[in-house]
Amino acid sequence: MPSASAPEVPAPGEPLPAGAFRPVVLCFLFRSAAGRREVLLGLKHQGFGTGRIVALGGKLEPGETPAQAAVREVAEESGLLVEEADLGFLGEVTWDFPANPAWNMRAWIFTADRFTGDAGLSDEITPEWFPVTAPPWDGMWEDAAHWLPRVLAREPFSADIVLDAHSVGVASASVSPDRAGGTDGTPERPIAQGT
């Protein structure tokens, strides 16, 4: 039985109920190098977002808390090890794809400054450090311009993004300077049941 802080997660391959948002996590790692602050992103090789530069992260597994998923995804995609205690919960982003509802997602956004290891290539991602002052906007999803600056500034937030009819551009974006859920990412509202 999942803990109270583990959201209901559809089984692998199970379709989402109508109006639901698949629970995912994103984790942004930060470091100082050569006198500048950097953030770890990566070029996606397979799956959703192939060919784009994205944050480390992915879907929660059944019974997994958002923090546990963030730790697992960082290790799988970069080889870096992050402790749950070193994660900071920053907020949530929902993506509504009216033309492709199966793509709807709600993400918990985590950050970390402490981790061990060296970032390396995985089957899914080629990780790369970027200056926080110069993210690779041209290689990212268009919606990132609406909420990523808050992540880079480490400002709590919540964002609701509605994609256009082509599921690429932004039809609307609402970003608030607060965050949903508890300080550890525990959801205040159901995830798999929609909003």
Side-chain angles (χ1 to χ4, degrees):
M1 178 110 176
S3 70
S5 60
E8 184 177 328
V9 177
E14 181 182 326
L16 290 175
F21 289 77
R22 186 170 306 281
V24 300
V25 294
L26 298 180
C27 189
F28 293 86
L29 303 183
F30 292 89
R31 72 175 187 183
S32 292
R36 69 180 186 188
R37 293 286 294 155
E38 295 180 329
V39 62
L40 186 65
L41 302 171
L43 178 64
K44 192 83 187 283
H45 298 294
Q46 62 182 10
F48 188 80
T50 296
R52 296 186 186 274
I53 297 173
V54 298
L56 303 181
K59 296 180 279 232
L60 274 73
E61 294 180 354
E64 195 172 43
T65 66
Q68 290 167 342
V71 167
R72 177 184 51 76
E73 288 286 348
V74 167
E76 288 175 1
E77 294 184 347
S78 72
L80 295 172
L81 303 177
V82 178
E83 300 290 331
E84 280 186 57
D86 292 325
L87 293 173
F89 173 64
L90 206 55
E92 288 184 11
V93 178
T94 62
W95 291 276
D96 185 348
F97 290 85
N100 293 290
W103 294 359
N104 289 353
M105 291 177 280
R106 178 173 293 129
W108 285 271
I109 309 298
F110 291 96
T111 62
D113 293 299
R114 293 182 53 170
F115 47 87
T116 57
D118 295 313
L121 175 72
S122 71
D123 290 342
E124 285 191 62
I125 296 234
T126 300
E128 184 177 346
W129 293 98
F130 293 92
V132 297
T133 55
W137 298 117
D138 290 344
M140 302 181 82
W141 285 91
E142 183 181 311
D143 68 274
H146 294 276
W147 57 270
L148 184 59
R150 290 205 181 259
V151 174
L152 299 178
R154 311 293 280 272
E155 297 172 353
F157 74 101
S158 61
D160 294 300
I161 309 296
V162 178
L163 282 297
D164 65 14
H166 303 289
S167 298
V168 176
V170 176
S172 68
S174 171
V175 181
S176 303
D178 61 358
R179 61 181 172 213
T183 58
D184 63 351
T186 302
E188 289 181 349
R189 53 188 172 175
I191 301 302
Q193 279 73 42
T195 55

